[in-house]
Amino acid sequence: MMTEAGIWSPIPRSIAIFRALNLGDLLCTIPALRALRLSLPGTRITLIGLASAIPVVERFNSYVNELLLFPGDPAFPEQAARMDELPEFYRRVRDSDFDLILQMHGSGAQSNQIVQRMGARRWAGFVPEASQQEPGRLMTWPHHLPEVHRYLALLSYLGLPASDDALEFPLSDDDHREADAAATHAGVDLDRTIFIHPGARMPSRRWPLDRFADVMQRLAGEGWQLAVTGSPDETELAASLIHRARVPAANFSGKTSLGGLVGLLQRGRMVICNDTGISHLAAAVRLPSVVIASGSDVARWAPLDAGLHRVLHAPTPCRPCSYFQCPIGHPCALGVSVDQVMEEAQSQLGAIHE
């Protein structure tokens, strides 16, 4: 039952959520969006985000009614800011006359100023300092919580029931047909296929290709089929990995829609990947994974089910970092060995070989 007090009185007819982040970040917000919709079934909910959110919003249209594209800001690295579009963006948001805007784009150190310019009747969300906290409206950024739990904690702080932390990614019949066709064309048996995902948005988050190639050689030697995945921007990276591995491997990089990719993952045996969006897709469809976390905040981004998803990382004093390229030789990535990845993969597969 929703608490009808504070920012919820009167119950808002329209809400905007500011979260202009990429796929993995957005997937971690789905449990909070689900909880918000359950409490506010008649409220129009708008996500203010990036173009990369389009396929997610289309798929979760029972939680989010529409997407309003954010042109970017120099303080945020996710996209180049289109500064000439910002005045029209703010005008459009103000004309939308939202009853409430929720700031769910990080601690608020940069994003709260943006939200306040949107001109909603009320706004709520995270604040970076405890001295800024206001009961029932502004919550201190919870550094200690995993990403999924941060946004559920915010809704709880605001007075809504929010405890279901399960990720999800609903698939349509078209998604399944696309996955079946892609697997048939590539000649892979998905029940025997391990996916390898070498990409990540920043090179500083990527485990070395030579080590991925070594893992592929060992898995192929054990009789597993292999498939390399990646975004359309990572097709050259995927091709380079397959060339280095010198073992048969399907290349799905850039060749499926998001739904088709998840349809493939749902039927595979495992994914071995960097700490990036595909790890959250794997969590959503309960595909076992081995995640190599280079540079990222492991406590924040690791999948919640530690039994199904094994995260490997090398503790270094410089993590988490935000460098696009590591300036000191990439010790966090090099600190994870091929043997460690194979040990976790074999444990997950239930077939540890001598």
Side-chain angles (χ1 to χ4, degrees), residues 196-216 218-219 237 241 244 272-276 290-295 312-314 319 330-343 345:
I196 307 294
H197 190 91
R201 184 176 64 86
M202 298 191 297
S204 63
R205 295 290 194 265
R206 299 174 190 165
W207 200 46
L209 277 191
D210 287 343
R211 297 194 181 190
F212 272 117
D214 197 346
V215 167
M216 290 176 65
R218 296 195 195 186
L219 290 171
L237 185 72
L241 173 58
R244 295 183 191 209
I272 299 174
C273 60
N274 296 305
D275 185 5
T276 189
V290 177
V291 181
I292 302 111
S294 304
L312 293 170
H313 73 287
R319 67 186 310 151
H330 221 187
C332 60
L334 296 177
V336 176
S337 70
V338 170
D339 286 343
Q340 287 177 291
V341 172
M342 285 302 301
E343 181 180 354

Side-chain angles (χ1 to χ4, degrees), residues 216-331:
M216 290 176 65
Q217 290 168 4
R218 296 195 195 186
L219 290 171
E222 295 176 0
W224 295 102
Q225 294 189 1
L226 300 168
V228 178
T229 60
S231 70
D233 294 334
E234 294 168 339
T235 54
E236 291 186 10
L237 185 72
S240 178
L241 173 58
I242 293 171
H243 176 73
R244 295 183 191 209
R246 301 188 305 279
V247 294
N251 186 353
F252 292 122
S253 181
K255 295 180 180 178
T256 67
S257 67
L258 180 60
L261 170 62
V262 180
L264 290 167
L265 296 177
Q266 186 187 52
R267 292 173 49 199
R269 289 297 300 270
M270 173 183 291
V271 62
I272 299 174
C273 60
N274 296 305
D275 185 5
T276 189
I278 198 167
S279 71
H280 305 296
L281 292 172
V285 296
R286 297 193 57 76
L287 172 71
S289 66
V290 177
V291 181
I292 302 111
S294 304
S296 59
D297 182 344
V298 177
R300 178 177 182 181
W301 294 108
L304 298 177
D305 187 340
L308 196 63
H309 310 288
R310 312 290 176 83
V311 180
L312 293 170
H313 73 287
T316 55
C318 52
R319 67 186 310 151
C321 88
S322 57
Y323 281 101
F324 189 76
Q325 297 271 5
C326 177
I328 59 170
H330 221 187

Side-chain angles (χ1 to χ4, degrees), residues 79-213:
Q79 66 176 8
R82 303 186 298 275
M83 301 300 292
D84 58 319
E85 297 180 21
L86 278 172
E88 172 60 22
F89 164 77
Y90 284 117
R91 184 201 63 75
R92 184 178 176 187
V93 176
R94 288 191 289 266
D95 287 350
S96 296
D97 198 25
F98 292 110
D99 292 330
L100 173 68
I101 294 180
L102 295 180
Q103 190 285 100
M104 297 174 71
H105 187 113
S107 71
Q110 305 290 342
S111 49
N112 284 348
Q113 295 178 12
I114 293 172
V115 167
Q116 290 173 48
R117 290 184 62 184
M118 295 179 184
R121 293 185 177 88
R122 293 165 277 173
W123 75 276
F126 292 113
V127 288
E129 304 295 336
S131 60
Q132 300 170 304
Q133 183 165 286
E134 292 183 17
R137 191 174 82 88
L138 302 177
M139 176 184 175
T140 307
W141 179 242
H143 292 276
H144 63 291
L145 292 179
E147 188 72 358
V148 172
H149 289 165
R150 295 182 187 203
Y151 302 95
L152 293 172
L154 175 63
L155 294 187
S156 295
Y157 184 82
L158 300 179
L160 302 184
S163 59
D164 181 2
D165 61 8
L167 296 186
E168 60 177 297
F169 196 94
L171 293 170
S172 67
D173 291 342
D174 286 344
D175 296 327
H176 290 298
R177 281 191 288 268
E178 181 185 356
D180 288 343
T184 299
H185 183 265
V188 296
D189 176 358
L190 292 175
D191 290 335
R192 297 176 50 234
T193 296
I194 297 173
F195 296 97
I196 307 294
H197 190 91
R201 184 176 64 86
M202 298 191 297
S204 63
R205 295 290 194 265
R206 299 174 190 165
W207 200 46
L209 277 191
D210 287 343
R211 297 194 181 190
F212 272 117

